[in-house]
Amino acid sequence: MLGGGDCIAPPAAQVTAVESILTATNSGRPGSIAAAVAASWSGADTSAAVRAQALSQLGVEHWKSRGWRIHGVCVASPTTVFALGENTISLERDSLNFRFDTAGRTQSLLVYTGVDVPIDPRDTSSDVARARALARYLDRLRNAGLFSGSVLVKRGTTTLFADSAGVELRPGGRPIGLDSRINIASSGKLFTATSIMQLVSSGVISLDDTLGKFYADSELSAPVRSVRLRYILAHTSGITDRRDTLASKPGERFVYSNLEFVILGDVLERASGERWEDYFAEHIFRPAGMTRTGRAVLTRPVNYLAMGYIPQFSDTGLVLAANPLLHIWPGNTAGALFSTTNDLARFAEAWRAGVLLPRRWVDSMRTLHNTTKGSEYGYGVMLWRAPRIWGHAGDLPGTDADVEIIEPSGVISVVLSNMSGVNNPVRRRIARLWGVVAR
C-alpha cells in the first residue's frame, strides 16, 4: 500500500528516473519533457518514433492534469514502479505505473486514472446538491478546456442535470447542445444487441442458434458456422478477424471484437428480412422517440455533424487536431453512428423500462453469463463500470461516448463528447454523486 508499511522504496536510479519524468511532465514544457524522455527512455537505441510517442503521451497527460501532486513512489515488481498522484484538475487520484528494462531504463508509462474519486458527502444529500456539485465540476473542466460535449442525467422522465460545453466546429462554430449530432462509436453496439434480443424474445431466432442457420457452407468455414449467437453477443466466440478460423473454443476466452457485431448485423438482416438501418429505424429509434440518430454516408465533412478533435502533443506543444474521417467513414452495426445526448437518453430509458424489449430479456442482456477471465460483458452490455452500472462506452479518435444506467435507482447518465478521452472524470463523478463507487 502506498504510504503504508508495505510500501517498498524503489532503487535510487528508478526513483531518479520517475522524479525526472514527473517533474518535466508537470512543467508542461515540450523541451523539458523531450529532454527527460531522451535521458531516461530506454537508452540511446530507442527509435525516434518511440520517443515521439512517449513525448506525446506525457504532454497529453499534462494537459489532462496540469500536474500531479505525488504522494509517494513504490515498487510493484522488480521492473515496475508506481506513483499515486492527485490530478490537480480532475481532483481524482491517478496511478502512474512505470516499467523499466533490466538495465533500469524506462520502457513505458501506464496511467490508470480515477483510482480514487473523493467527494464531499454533503454533495450527496439530495438530487439538487448532486446537480450543483456536478455543475461546479463541469465548470472546472470547461474552464481548463478539458471537455467539449454534453452531459445529461435523468431518472425516468425527470431531468436531474443537463449542461454542455465547447463548439461543434473549431473555431467559433455552433455551441454544442443536447441535440448536437456526434459520432457515438461503439455505444451503437447497444442497438445491435437489442435488435438481436428482440428477435430472440419473439421466437424468430434463438441464442443457441449457430451461424450455420444463417450462412451456407460456402460462406463460412465449418468451425465458424458452429458458433452460437450467445457467444458472439458476449465477445467470446473465438472468431478471428479472418472470419474462417477460431482462435479459441467458443465461450472459452473474452476478446472484444468489432467483427462479431458486424456479423450480428448480417444475422439481423437475414433473420428479419430488413436492412439493418431500416430495422433500427422501425424497431429501435421510432419506439424510443429517437429522431436524430442514424448512419452518415458522406464523401466529405459537413457542418451539421460535430467535428471530432484529438488532443496531440509534440515538441511544439498541444493541439486539438480535427478528424474529418469520422464524417466520411460509414457506421455499421459495430458502431460509429451519429446520435445526440437527448436521443441516447431516450434509448436508455426505453430499453431500461422494457419498451424495446421485455424486462426479463433486458435483465438477461446485463447479466454475466460466463466466468471467462477478463469478461465483464453481458449480451452486448458492458458491466465493468461498477457492480450496479451497465450500458456501453464508445471511443474513436475524436469522439468519446458513455451511456450508463445506475441501478437500482434507474438513473441514466449520458456523456457525449467530440473530443478524445475526456469523458471518464465526468462519468465517474456522476456515478459517485448518485451513490455508486465507479472505476
Side-chain angles (χ1 to χ4, degrees):
M1 293 289 292
L2 184 61
D6 295 332
C7 179
I8 301 173
Q14 292 182 351
V15 172
T16 299
V18 169
E19 289 180 344
S20 172
I21 292 169
L22 291 179
T23 299
T25 302
N26 283 352
S27 77
R29 294 189 294 270
S32 298
I33 299 175
V37 169
S40 61
W41 218 267
S42 291
D45 57 345
T46 303
S47 69
V50 170
R51 290 178 188 270
Q53 183 180 19
L55 172 64
S56 177
Q57 179 192 9
L58 295 175
V60 171
E61 293 297 346
H62 170 77
W63 175 71
K64 290 182 178 181
S65 68
R66 303 304 198 271
W68 290 288
R69 298 188 184 98
I70 300 300
H71 296 276
V73 182
C74 295
V75 168
S77 74
T79 58
T80 306
V81 168
F82 73 92
L84 192 63
E86 180 186 353
N87 184 310
T88 60
I89 296 295
S90 73
L91 304 179
E92 300 178 333
R93 286 197 175 186
D94 301 337
S95 179
L96 293 72
N97 288 32
F98 294 82
R99 189 161 59 90
F100 295 90
D101 62 20
T102 55
R105 299 170 301 190
T106 309
Q107 285 189 307
S108 64
L109 167 63
L110 292 176
V111 179
Y112 299 96
T113 61
V115 296
D116 184 34
V117 185
I119 61 170
D120 188 331
R122 292 172 296 183
D123 289 337
T124 64
S125 61
S126 67
D127 282 336
V128 172
R130 295 181 180 100
R132 287 174 178 167
L134 184 56
R136 292 193 301 270
Y137 191 73
L138 197 62
D139 279 343
R140 184 180 186 87
L141 300 182
R142 183 195 343 252
N143 293 338
L146 290 177
F147 185 76
S148 176
S150 57
V151 181
L152 182 59
V153 183
K154 301 186 73 172
R155 183 185 290 111
T157 59
T158 302
T159 297
L160 304 176
F161 179 86
D163 200 2
S164 303
V167 294
E168 294 181 351
L169 181 65
R170 294 170 182 264
R174 288 190 304 268
I176 285 180
L178 297 177
D179 285 318
S180 292
R181 298 180 69 191
I182 298 174
N183 194 301
I184 64 171
S186 285
S187 291
K189 286 183 172 68
L190 286 171
F191 308 149
T192 304
T194 302
S195 297
I196 291 292
M197 295 301 285
Q198 285 178 338
L199 297 183
V200 171
S201 70
S202 62
V204 175
I205 62 177
S206 165
L207 288 172
D208 286 318
D209 284 342
T210 67
L211 290 180
K213 179 176 179 178
F214 310 99
Y215 290 89
D217 293 353
S218 60
E219 294 180 285
L220 292 175
S221 67
V224 173
R225 291 178 69 250
S226 71
V227 177
R228 300 182 188 278
L229 295 182
R230 66 172 66 250
Y231 297 126
I232 302 176
L233 279 165
H235 293 288
T236 59
S237 72
I239 299 173
T240 66
D241 287 342
R242 295 174 55 189
R243 294 178 65 134
D244 60 353
T245 58
L246 297 180
S248 58
K249 180 181 177 182
E252 186 174 80
R253 186 157 60 98
F254 174 85
V255 179
Y256 185 85
S257 167
N258 286 316
L259 172 61
E260 288 177 322
F261 271 69
V262 172
I263 292 173
L264 286 176
D266 200 14
V267 170
L268 174 65
E269 291 188 334
R270 296 180 184 215
S272 69
E274 302 178 51
R275 294 192 315 155
W276 67 263
E277 300 101 309
D278 297 333
Y279 188 96
F280 281 11
E282 180 62 23
H283 300 279
I284 302 292
F285 302 155
R286 185 186 61 79
M290 302 165 68
T291 60
R292 293 177 61 80
T293 301
R295 183 190 194 199
V297 182
L298 303 165
T299 58
R300 59 181 178 81
V302 294
N303 61 10
Y304 57 83
L305 301 176
M307 181 60 68
Y309 293 92
I310 311 166
Q312 295 180 340
F313 190 89
S314 67
D315 55 8
T316 61
L318 188 130
V319 297
L320 293 173
N323 182 12
L325 292 177
L326 288 178
H327 287 194
I328 298 169
W329 183 56
N332 54 39
T333 50
L337 305 182
F338 280 81
S339 188
T340 72
T341 303
N342 271 331
D343 264 12
L344 291 176
R346 293 182 184 111
F347 166 79
E349 176 56 25
W351 177 48
R352 184 199 69 81
V355 172
L356 300 177
L357 193 66
R359 272 305 301 256
R360 75 181 185 95
W361 292 105
V362 176
D363 291 342
S364 180
M365 291 177 70
R366 65 185 185 93
T367 299
L368 184 62
H369 295 278
N370 61 76
T371 57
T372 301
K373 184 178 180 180
S375 172
E376 293 172 299
Y377 206 93
Y379 289 150
V381 177
M382 285 181 171
L383 307 169
W384 49 267
R385 294 304 199 192
R388 294 184 299 168
I389 298 182
W390 45 288
H392 213 293
D395 63 90
L396 285 168
T399 191
D400 204 352
D402 287 277
V403 182
E404 298 184 343
I405 299 173
I406 303 171
E407 295 291 7
S409 66
V411 168
I412 292 168
S413 165
V414 179
V415 185
L416 184 56
S417 175
N418 67 331
M419 187 184 292
S420 297
V422 296
N423 281 9
N424 275 342
V426 182
R427 63 100 183 155
R428 279 193 293 256
R429 185 72 40 166
I430 293 169
R432 288 288 281 119
L433 286 169
W434 269 270
V436 176
V437 177
R439 299 190 265 125

